Every structure is written in C-alpha cells, then in structure tokens.
Amino acid sequence: MNVPTLTLNNGVTMPALGLGVFQSPPEETAAAVAEALAVGYRHVDTAAAYQNEREVGEGLRRSGVDRDDVFLETKVWVSDYGYDEALHAFDKAAGKLGVEQLDLLILHQPATDRFEKTLAAYRALETLLHDGKVRAIGVSNFMPHHLAELLDRTDVVPAVNQVELHPYFTQPAVQAADAEHGILTQAWSPIGGMTFYPGWGEGRRSVMDDPTLREIAAGHGRTPAQVMLRWHLQRGRSAIPKSTNPGRIAENFAVLDFALGDDELDRIDALDTGVRSGPDPDVPRPERFDTPVPEA
Ligand SMILES: NC(=O)c1ccc[n+]([C@@H]2O[C@H](COP(=O)([O-])OP(=O)(O)OC[C@H]3O[C@@H](n4cnc5c(N)ncnc54)[C@H](OP(=O)(O)O)[C@@H]3O)[C@@H](O)[C@H]2O)c1
C-alpha cells in the first residue's frame, strides 16, 4: 500500500510517513533502512549529528530500491552554521549518503545564542536550493518567534518545520504559525519517543501507556503507536517514527488501512500537557558548537 504524500510549498511531494534514525546505532542503521524500504517506506530522516548518514546510504543501496524513489531528508548541525560552513555541510552529508542531490535539507535547531549564524546557514540552504543540490529546504525546532525572524530576513519560506509533536505535546502555536505560512509541520518523537527514554526525567509518563490511546487502539484492534501515527496522518502532518526492530518497523507502517473518527482525533488532541520532553529550543547550549561534524 502506498503512503499518502504531502505536497510541500514549492510543489515537491514527500511521503507523509518516514523512518527516523536518531539513536539508531550505526551498525544497525543500514539494516533498519533496508528493512523499512522493503516494507514500503519511501522516506528516511537522518541528521549529520546522528552520525549514521553513511549507513543510511548503505541501507538504501542494499535495498535495491531506486534512489529516485526515496525521499532523503537530513539536517545541518549547529557547529556547521554560517554561510560557507553550511554549504560545506551539504558536501559532507551528500558524500556520506552517497547521493548527488538531497530531497530535503533542514537546520537542526535555531542557535539562539548565535542567531546570525543560523540565518547565514539558512541563506546557504537557499543557495543550495537555487543550484538544484537540494529539492526543498526547511528548519527544525523553530518556535513562532524564530520563524518570524527567519521569514523577515531571508527569502525562501521553509517547506518544513520538524518539531517535537506527540499526544502529550502538540505545540498548537507552532502548528498555527506553520500553517499560516504554508510550512508543513513534521512530528519528531511522533509516538512519544522522548517521553519514555530512560533517564529523560523523573516521573515522566510514557504516552504509550496512556489509557485513552489504549482504549482507542483496542477499539480498532491496533497498537497505541499505530493510533498515534494515524492521528498524525489524518491531521495532515508528516511523522518519522524511529525503530531498528523489524517487527516495529512493519507495525509503524501498517497504518494505511484504518481510520480514526473525528471524535477520536479530538480526544487525542485533548491529551496535550503543554510540557515538552526534549530540549527547549530557546535554552542556549553553546557546548553544541564544540562537536564538529566529521568530514567523512
Ligand atoms: N529534529 C530533532 O531535533 C529531532 C529530535 C528527536 C528525533 N528526531 C527525529 O524523529 C525521529 C523519531 O523520534 P524519536 O526517535 O525521538 O521517537 P519515536 O519515533 O517517537 O520513538 C522511538 C522509540 O520508540 C520505540 N518504538 C518504535 N516503534 C515502536 C512501537 N511500534 N511500539 C513500541 N515502541 C516503539 C523505539 O525503539 P526500537 O527501535 O527498539 O523499536 C524507540 O525507542 C528520530 O529518529 C529522528 O529522525 C528529530
């Protein structure tokens, strides 16, 4: 079954559901990507900072699926912010992935303590877009005030804003700002990944155990993860669940043959706690600039 596609603001189409590879160990990444492509995924989200772009490329080649049939998305890390640095970040990413062109290149997060460098990096993405090296450009973890400044001071409206988004943290203000500017919202931790990593916060509840989600899932004979992914798709978002487990890779893709009712979508929206699980994009973390992205 084909995944629904979303049309970005520059006309490029993107499969709504993709495989995420954050914290996928390099030695498991190629197998996970090949497995996902065999199951039917046609979109992979990686990042320079994940240090597994090379293995994503290897998985793509191992799968036998045509390069042109797969939507490859990656991110420029903050230590490569600045105009020349971000241009070079493209060369590093494309080289590791083993491709000539990227489908979507995004800034990993706003560097709020060095916003001028963030803007310069975005201008490099505009150049890469103009030169045909990337098919679309975007951002990640941009809050409405970051977006407003970016839109004010650069030319190309981002195609995508990838942010933390799951039933416990739905970011309505970000979604509204994205929609206002024709920016597609893409959900990271779409099934609540950050809510159940051990050590990410005392007393944090896993969204997977939520009684409402469990009840809705039972009603459809599905799992909570499948219900969450279905919710993203029906709300018009892209979602990029991560798994390196073949059974869960398949489970997360098997969401195209059922539908949630409007009341169920509303009940899931109402689970929002307003509390993020991942890092706050407005808290400066200058130490990130000390982590260089290797050349090869
Ligand atoms: N832009 C950013 O700053 C940012 C931040 C975080 C993530 N991301 C992107 O978003 C992707 C997804 O986010 P995420 O990895 O944080 O969280 P997630 O996809 O919501 O959850 C991943 C976690 O859930 C487990 N899992 C996967 N499928 C499952 C299922 N059906 N049932 C139960 N558990 C399941 C995975 O373990 P197994 O592997 O063992 O299945 C993993 O521990 C990342 O891989 C990355 O591409 C971006």
Side-chain angles (χ1 to χ4, degrees):
M1 202 168 296
N2 291 331
V3 193
T5 54
L6 294 163
T7 303
L8 306 180
N9 60 15
N10 66 351
V12 166
T13 54
M14 178 178 87
L17 194 61
L19 178 77
V21 295
F22 173 48
Q23 298 189 328
S24 300
E27 63 279 9
E28 292 175 27
T29 302
V33 168
E35 180 68 30
L37 294 174
V39 169
Y41 291 73
R42 289 293 179 268
H43 174 180
V44 182
D45 174 69
T46 182
Y50 302 165
Q51 301 203 12
N52 57 16
E53 288 170 313
R54 183 176 305 287
E55 290 75 14
V56 168
E58 190 188 317
L60 169 61
R61 287 184 291 281
R62 203 187 282 176
S63 74
V65 175
D66 201 88
R67 154 71 192 106
D68 292 343
D69 292 336
V70 180
F71 192 94
L72 281 181
E73 172 175 0
T74 191
K75 315 181 189 81
V76 179
W77 184 237
V78 287
S79 55
D80 281 334
Y81 283 6
Y83 186 81
D84 292 336
E85 294 90 334
L87 285 183
H88 184 55
F90 166 84
D91 294 331
K92 288 194 277 188
K96 288 174 192 170
L97 285 158
V99 298
E100 299 283 319
Q101 188 191 45
L102 296 171
D103 297 289
L104 176 61
L105 184 61
I106 64 180
L107 299 185
H108 206 134
Q109 47 192 246
T112 47
D113 46 343
R114 302 182 201 190
F115 206 69
E116 292 305 316
K117 283 201 140 199
T118 306
L119 293 174
Y122 191 79
R123 291 187 191 107
L125 299 197
E126 292 179 326
T127 299
L128 292 164
L129 181 70
H130 179 262
D131 293 348
K133 294 191 169 173
V134 299
R135 295 173 65 229
I137 61 175
V139 294
S140 178
N141 298 304
F142 270 51
M143 299 297 103
H145 61 283
H146 305 129
L147 270 183
E149 192 163 357
L150 182 86
L151 293 169
D152 231 27
R153 300 183 53 199
T154 61
D155 294 328
V156 177
V157 177
V160 167
N161 187 15
Q162 184 187 115
V163 295
E164 179 182 350
L165 211 163
H166 47 76
Y168 283 172
F169 192 56
T170 63
Q171 307 225 55
V174 172
Q175 292 202 61
D178 287 351
E180 184 189 340
H181 299 291
I183 301 168
L184 177 74
T185 302
Q186 184 174 54
W188 66 251
S189 283
I191 53 174
M194 283 279 188
T195 66
F196 56 86
Y197 288 136
W200 273 89
E202 285 299 306
R204 185 164 285 164
R205 285 180 303 153
S206 163
V207 68
M208 285 281 176
D209 297 330
D210 184 86
T212 300
L213 284 174
R214 285 187 169 266
E215 188 191 314
I216 294 172
H220 289 273
R222 302 287 170 149
T223 65
Q226 290 175 318
V227 165
M228 287 187 260
L229 292 169
R230 193 66 223 171
W231 167 70
H232 287 296
L233 297 184
Q234 288 184 231
R235 285 296 191 218
R237 293 186 291 265
S238 169
I240 42 169
K242 174 265 175 186
S243 184
T244 48
N245 174 288
R248 290 191 285 277
I249 289 172
E251 176 186 325
N252 295 343
F253 194 72
V255 296
L256 308 176
D257 57 348
F258 77 106
L260 300 171
D262 288 342
D263 56 324
E264 293 174 317
L265 297 174
D266 292 344
R267 285 176 71 198
I268 301 171
D269 288 335
L271 297 175
D272 184 29
T273 63
V275 179
R276 68 174 74 250
S277 297
D280 183 340
D282 271 318
V283 174
R285 288 182 297 144
E287 72 283 0
R288 295 165 308 165
F289 286 91
D290 299 336
T291 313
V293 173
E295 285 296 319

